[in-house]
Amino acid sequence: MKIKLLFGILMCLMAFSCSTEKNWSFKTDYLSVQINDKGYIVSMKNTTVSPQREFSPSDKPSPLLSLYDENGCFHLPVKAKYDLKKEQIELEYTNGRKAIISIQPQKKYLKLRLEKLVNREGIDCVQWGSYHTNIDNLLGEIIGVARDTSDVVNYSIGLLALDDNTLGGTADLEGDAAPFQYIIHTPDKERFPLPDSLQEGQVFTLGGNGISDVAFYANKEPYYRIMYGNAATVDKEGRISINYFSRDRSKSRQVYYSLIPNMKANTPNHIEVEPVPGVDYIGSSVALWGSPDSSALMNVIHDIVLSEGLPYPTVNGKWIKDPTAYSPDVMTSGAQYDSIISYTSRLSFPAIHAYDQGFLRPDRHNEGYLDGVNQEKKPFRFMEGNKSHKEFADLAAKQGIMLGRVSITNSLAPGTKDASPIPSDSLCYQQRRILMNNVSEKDTIIWVDNPEYLDEIASWEGHCENLNIINIGKELIHYLGVTDTKPYRLKNVNRGYWGTKPSAHSKNDTIYKLQVTINYGYDGLIPNLALQDKIAEYYAEVAHVSGVTLYDFDGQEFLFNNGHGYYSAKRFFRKMFEKANKLGVPYIRFSGATLSEGSWHYQSVWNVGGGKNLYDVDTRQWGSTTSQGKDLRYVTFSNYYPVSFGGNFAIKDTSTVEQYEHIQAISVGYGATYFLTINQADVEKCPQKEAIFNAIRTWQEARKANAFPRSIRKMLMNPAFDWHLEKDVQPDRWILFRMQNGKEVEKFKLVKE
């Protein structure tokens, strides 16, 4: 039975000393840490206050590094010794295992790196931590951070991976991606006390039938915390622990995986996970940091990212995680584009998401030319002549505006180059079997050597029967079921599926049960890692030759389908950004269906969902119809990531300036982005169109100037307040008015920072 560790770890350091109690002490600018001679962290203190505040629970010391074996058991260190000259700590475990870890103190963080593991046989993963804290406020489960945002404490402790094969989470994750589910955790025990029937850390499944993603969000109470990872977890007292792990990916393995377990529509499937030669846990590295929470993102995490050469996308010279770079985008409807660029420019928004163009399916056949090499297709409708993607993108670029499309990430749809009528040899499969009889092009009798798991409906998500597909040679074959007695035979066979050519196959040919997506318009096959690399590069090529530099990656969770979880996502986005850089594309902005530790560094926004599910401007609620607004606000805010209102706030004939001043105030307060729904015909019917544009632009200009101090942003979060922002007569200055019943009750002078 698997033992899930909740042991904490260390912190950023600068100085070293050795105590008589055999505890080694380290310091950074903001944190001191003590490690004992058993290899556990026994103290983590905030050194910026007096007296120094202790964050390491006395009853839960934290193992510096845990080992996880092929039988599902964790191994903890039993002895440690530190070599000052080499700046290395040696941890001893049972069975003669030893881990050599380098400790390189930096000014704001401690860099830890696994250099060597002696007697590593049978060890599949290493885990940094778990590092336990007594913080019980906000848990950042995606990037691994424990945050206390109160004015009294104002301190956070976190980890950050310094390589792609070190992932946020615990080593016992099936498929290397944490279950999507609810846990019980209150961010404030006094304001939101738990009822007697609930306990901290208790797990609940999502709402709905497992298919409608809106219905997932089914618990409005603030102590129902939806989880998009487990790089941070809570114990029965609500105390937060953080952890990262790294796997030996050179070995083949099988997982029993579902991202949304405990739901009939998303039961796990058995997946043979492709080995990745040369990707190992030796060299796994993390940055351990602690600092005042109010400055952690831009002072510490930013420093780690730059110092360690982590992905650092920028827009207009600003890091995409810089709150002053947060911005809404336009999302089109109505398929008429004459004034869309003008609207977007007047709003001071960076991008146009052409949502009304439908799904963009990756098809390497077009080599990135969405409308043909000569741009013969003209999907963007203008009164004076329709335009291609490139023509529209070039027009928008003159105003500094990007063009975007919604894409189904890595789903290889029927009729595209890698799916049909000639499927690629580089498809991801769930199971591999041997054909036990010769088969003509017309035969429907297919015998297999082993029926195990072939009765599972493909994918882990939705289990759509029309996507239950095997591949033999260059033919796709649909089937449903397998006999349970010899000779084992596939049932309900349909040859030449998706327009592939029925062919003769020989005994002992290989049968691949393919990994797939879901239907509902997302129908597709999943590529293996090598082909997925090519799909990632394809998006960079589309950006280069067709001008699409904003992607809304719907089905982003399909990147987990190959069993490599967050590693797969990191690899995909690294390949896309590296190819884009090589082609001279300066910036790719993207949103998507999910947010994970694999996409956190690269992903600019997360404008998922929308309408009254996210933020209801009329009732001023974070989700008046579902809990999606509350749930995603907690996830993003806790992980130093822009909150979102989704696709929302369409400008209609009844829209008013006051509505959008409120929207922008909440947006600035929380650091929220959104897709502003724009239909050209509707906008032209709005009497307050120009005033709305001017109001939004004024807020955006002040936001970009970092003119809202922390004290003001806290006030802006209050949905009961009304606000009005005006430009001052002096440049780079604004006057913010708090309004009540249409009258000014307070005013604040704002200045560019």
Side-chain angles (χ1 to χ4, degrees):
M1 186 175 181
K2 293 181 179 178
I3 305 170
K4 187 169 285 189
L5 291 181
L6 294 175
F7 286 145
I9 237 179
L10 190 182
M11 263 333 210
C12 310
L13 343 95
M14 277 286 287
F16 168 89
S17 65
C18 183
S19 75
T20 57
E21 299 175 346
K22 296 185 179 179
N23 285 355
W24 299 290
S25 180
F26 303 87
K27 268 189 179 180
T28 66
D29 285 356
Y30 313 115
L31 179 84
S32 70
V33 174
Q34 285 192 352
I35 306 172
N36 70 11
D37 58 4
K38 298 291 192 298
Y40 288 77
I41 296 170
V42 292
S43 178
M44 294 185 286
K45 289 183 178 180
N46 175 7
T47 60
T48 68
V49 296
S50 182
Q52 296 181 2
R53 184 184 290 269
E54 177 66 74
F55 289 100
S56 178
S58 59
D59 61 329
K60 293 178 73 173
S62 303
L64 185 59
L65 186 78
S66 307
L67 310 181
Y68 186 74
D69 69 24
E70 59 192 8
N71 297 314
C73 294
F74 282 96
H75 301 266
L76 307 181
V78 295
K79 187 178 179 180
K81 57 183 178 181
Y82 187 81
D83 188 319
L84 173 60
K85 186 175 181 180
K86 293 182 178 180
E87 291 189 314
Q88 290 182 342
I89 190 166
E90 180 182 280
L91 303 181
E92 294 186 16
Y93 303 82
T94 56
N95 299 327
R97 295 188 177 103
K98 294 182 181 180
I100 308 299
I101 298 169
S102 64
I103 301 180
Q104 298 176 358
Q106 310 297 320
K107 187 176 181 182
K108 297 176 182 177
Y109 62 98
L110 176 68
K111 183 176 181 179
L112 306 174
R113 188 177 190 273
L114 176 61
E115 303 292 346
K116 186 177 181 180
L117 182 60
V118 179
N119 293 333
R120 58 174 287 171
E121 289 78 15
I123 299 300
D124 283 350
C125 298
V126 298
Q127 178 175 303
W128 299 99
S130 298
Y131 301 160
H132 306 301
T133 77
N134 55 30
I135 297 172
D136 60 4
N137 181 201
L138 300 182
L139 71 154
E141 80 279 22
I142 293 175
I143 64 168
V145 58
R147 299 180 61 184
D148 191 318
T149 60
S150 67
D151 291 333
V152 174
V153 179
N154 185 29
Y155 201 81
S156 293
I157 294 173
L159 284 173
L160 207 62
L162 302 183
D163 63 278
D164 284 356
N165 191 36
T166 301
L167 310 178
T170 53
D172 57 358
L173 288 180
E174 286 286 338
D176 293 350
F180 184 25
Q181 59 193 10
Y182 279 106
I183 67 166
I184 298 300
H185 174 64
T186 177
D188 191 316
K189 294 178 181 178
E190 293 185 2
R191 293 177 60 204
F192 311 118
L194 296 186
D196 293 339
S197 59
L198 297 176
Q199 179 179 292
E200 285 278 352
Q202 197 172 348
V203 174
F204 289 88
T205 190
L206 303 178
N209 59 9
I211 297 174
S212 171
D213 53 3
V214 171
F216 293 164
Y217 306 96
N219 295 284
K220 291 188 176 184
E221 297 87 347
Y223 42 76
Y224 277 90
R225 174 61 156 81
I226 209 159
M227 297 289 282
Y228 271 81
N230 77 335
T233 57
V234 299
D235 64 13
K236 291 183 178 180
E237 297 178 31
R239 299 178 298 184
I240 300 168
S241 301
I242 52 181
N243 29 249
Y244 271 70
F245 75 99
S246 185
R247 180 180 299 282
D248 178 1
R249 297 190 185 277
S250 66
K251 299 187 297 184
S252 60
R253 60 194 172 96
Q254 182 161 258
V255 298
Y256 186 50
Y257 174 73
S258 172
L259 184 65
I260 313 175
N262 306 315
M263 302 187 83
K264 184 178 180 180
N266 297 297
T267 56
N269 278 54
H270 290 85
I271 302 168
E272 293 182 19
V273 181
E274 166 190 8
V276 188
V279 180
D280 189 21
Y281 49 64
I282 302 300
S284 173
S285 185
V286 293
L288 180 59
W289 60 271
S291 81
D293 179 79
S294 55
S295 58
L297 175 63
M298 294 306 297
N299 183 29
V300 177
I301 297 177
H302 182 261
D303 186 74
I304 295 170
V305 169
L306 282 180
S307 299
E308 297 298 333
L310 297 179
Y312 189 71
T314 60
V315 54
N316 297 323
K318 290 185 177 182
W319 183 39
I320 62 170
K321 295 297 178 292
D322 184 339
T324 66
Y326 296 171
S327 175
D329 300 301
V330 160
M331 183 171 76
T332 61
S333 71
Q336 191 67 39
Y337 293 90
D338 299 85
S339 299
I340 298 300
I341 294 173
S342 172
Y343 295 160
T344 308
S345 177
R346 283 139 76 187
L347 289 162
S348 192
F349 287 179
I352 298 167
H353 176 17
Y355 188 73
D356 45 15
Q357 291 292 322
F359 282 139
L360 171 63
R361 292 171 171 81
D363 185 359
R364 294 192 304 136
H365 180 76
N366 62 37
E367 297 181 334
Y369 293 93
L370 300 180
D371 301 317
V373 175
N374 298 314
Q375 302 180 53
E376 54 268 25
K377 299 177 185 177
K378 310 287 184 181
F380 293 92
R381 195 168 67 196
F382 284 74
M383 294 295 292
E384 296 183 356
N386 298 343
K387 303 187 184 303
S388 67
H389 282 82
K390 186 68 167 63
E391 290 167 337
F392 186 32
D394 285 348
L395 275 179
K398 292 178 181 178
Q399 303 293 325
I401 295 168
M402 308 170 71
L403 172 62
R405 289 286 305 275
V406 59
S407 172
I408 315 181
T409 314
N410 62 339
S411 174
L412 306 177
T416 59
K417 177 179 175 65
D418 296 302
S420 67
I422 304 175
S424 171
D425 294 329
S426 300
L427 298 174
C428 179
Y429 60 87
Q430 289 189 342
Q431 299 294 323
R432 180 174 51 184
R433 297 291 183 264
I434 300 299
L435 179 63
M436 299 304 291
N437 63 316
N438 293 322
V439 176
S440 74
E441 64 270 19
K442 294 183 179 180
D443 284 339
T444 57
I445 304 299
I446 297 177
W447 292 345
V448 299
D449 62 326
N450 182 357
E452 190 174 30
Y453 309 137
L454 297 185
D455 58 336
E456 296 177 349
I457 303 298
S459 187
W460 55 264
E461 181 180 10
H463 303 291
C464 305
E465 291 187 351
N466 70 305
L467 294 178
N468 207 55
I469 302 172
I470 62 168
N471 174 214
I472 310 177
K474 291 296 184 180
E475 182 185 359
L476 301 181
I477 300 171
H478 181 265
Y479 82 100
L480 286 174
V482 60
T483 60
D484 55 8
T485 58
K486 284 188 175 182
Y488 304 116
R489 178 175 57 84
L490 299 183
K491 298 178 181 179
N492 304 298
V493 169
N494 181 4
R495 300 290 302 276
Y497 204 54
W498 279 9
T500 59
K501 184 179 179 180
S503 307
H505 306 292
S506 301
K507 182 179 179 179
N508 294 323
D509 280 354
T510 302
I511 298 172
Y512 297 97
K513 177 180 173 63
L514 297 180
Q515 177 64 301
V516 297
T517 59
I518 55 175
N519 52 30
Y520 317 107
Y522 296 84
D523 309 54
L525 308 177
I526 295 294
N528 68 10
L529 282 174
L531 181 53
Q532 183 175 287
D533 290 347
K534 296 297 183 183
I535 299 299
E537 292 177 345
Y538 167 81
Y539 284 111
E541 290 161 357
V542 171
H544 177 57
V545 301
S546 292
V548 176
T549 50
L550 163 68
Y551 291 111
D552 183 6
F553 283 119
D554 207 347
Q556 193 180 150
E557 74 276 10
F558 298 154
L559 293 173
F560 306 154
N561 282 26
N562 53 35
H564 284 290
Y566 305 145
Y567 169 77
S568 174
K570 283 185 179 181
R571 180 172 172 141
F572 178 85
F573 293 117
R574 179 176 290 280
K575 292 290 183 181
M576 182 178 75
F577 274 74
E578 286 178 347
K579 182 68 172 182
N581 183 63
K582 185 176 180 180
L583 294 173
V585 178
Y587 169 53
I588 291 180
R589 183 175 180 85
F590 77 89
S591 180
T594 192
L595 177 69
S596 70
E597 194 265 330
S599 66
W600 187 90
H601 286 285
Y602 300 95
Q603 189 166 334
S604 301
V605 293
W606 188 23
N607 295 326
V608 67
K612 296 182 183 297
N613 297 311
L614 264 294
Y615 190 82
D616 187 333
V617 68
D618 296 322
T619 63
R620 300 192 174 190
Q621 288 179 275
W622 285 90
S624 61
T625 53
T626 72
S627 65
Q628 188 176 21
K630 177 270 294 183
D631 288 334
L632 297 189
R633 186 189 77 216
Y634 277 153
V635 171
T636 50
F637 190 81
S638 298
N639 286 281
Y640 300 113
Y641 195 85
V643 184
S644 178
F645 297 139
N648 218 337
F649 317 129
I651 297 179
K652 302 285 188 179
D653 57 351
T654 56
S655 297
T656 66
V657 174
E658 289 76 17
Q659 289 173 330
Y660 292 92
E661 293 245 38
H662 170 73
I663 290 163
Q664 286 298 109
I666 296 291
S667 175
V668 171
Y670 277 98
T673 64
Y674 56 94
F675 284 140
L676 176 65
T677 305
I678 291 287
N679 179 301
Q680 183 170 301
D682 289 343
V683 171
E684 291 305 317
K685 295 175 184 176
C686 178
Q688 298 191 37
K689 173 188 71 173
E690 294 299 335
I692 290 170
F693 286 167
N694 289 335
I696 293 175
R697 184 183 185 94
T698 300
W699 281 90
Q700 285 304 113
E701 289 173 344
R703 171 189 267 186
K704 291 174 185 176
N706 198 24
F708 298 96
R710 185 168 182 254
S711 58
I712 294 294
R713 293 199 305 273
K714 282 192 169 185
M715 295 175 65
L716 294 176
M717 291 180 184
N718 189 337
F721 288 167
D722 294 312
W723 302 94
H724 171 60
L725 183 66
E726 290 183 358
K727 288 184 178 179
D728 199 350
V729 292
Q730 299 182 61
D732 297 327
R733 294 174 183 269
W734 295 262
I735 303 174
L736 178 64
F737 299 94
R738 188 167 74 83
M739 311 294 290
Q740 190 171 340
N741 298 322
K743 297 181 180 179
E744 302 167 4
V745 294
E746 281 185 284
K747 73 176 181 179
F748 307 89
K749 293 185 177 182
L750 307 179
V751 181
K752 179 180 179 179
E753 287 292 320

